[in-house]
Amino acid sequence: MLQQSTVAASTHGASPVLLAVFALGGLVAVWAGLRWALDVRGITVRRSERIRQRSAQRWGGVGRLDAPSANVFGSVGYLRFLGVVLACAGLVLLVITYALWHLG
């Protein structure tokens, strides 16, 4: 009897809730990734500047005046690269959603 319920549960297609979550997550990731990658309204420049200020404050709080001038993870190029990666991950989620929708 337990095997019949397991087989019956596995014959259904993908859940509409799962498809909606994947699609929404994919759309948000593409939207946010493109904003970072294309630097819409200077978002990456502002974020990079905040990272540099926070790093300088952290180093100054310890008493070191020779704060690092360049942080790889706070550079504009790195943040744009993260935007491209995020947009690609969103596209992968959208492709997965489409595949699950057609397979189900």
Side-chain angles (χ1 to χ4, degrees):
M1 175 128 173
L2 182 62
Q3 289 178 340
Q4 289 175 349
S5 64
T6 305
V7 170
S10 65
T11 58
H12 295 296
S15 167
V17 174
L18 180 68
L19 291 176
V21 167
F22 273 27
L24 184 63
L27 289 174
V28 168
V30 167
W31 175 73
L34 287 178
R35 282 189 63 179
W36 279 31
L38 301 176
D39 196 20
V40 176
R41 297 190 318 177
I43 192 168
T44 54
V45 174
R46 286 193 315 257
R47 183 156 175 79
S48 175
E49 185 60 33
R50 278 184 290 194
I51 290 172
R52 284 191 194 111
Q53 287 175 356
R54 194 171 38 222
S55 177
Q57 287 176 353
R58 188 176 309 132
W59 281 67
V62 178
R64 297 184 66 177
L65 299 177
D66 57 343
S69 59
N71 185 357
V72 173
F73 300 112
S75 67
V76 175
Y78 180 74
L79 293 175
R80 285 187 175 185
F81 172 73
L82 283 181
V84 170
V85 170
L86 186 61
C88 290
L91 288 176
V92 168
L93 272 176
L94 290 175
V95 167
I96 289 172
T97 303
Y98 182 75
L100 286 176
W101 180 46
H102 279 288
L103 290 176

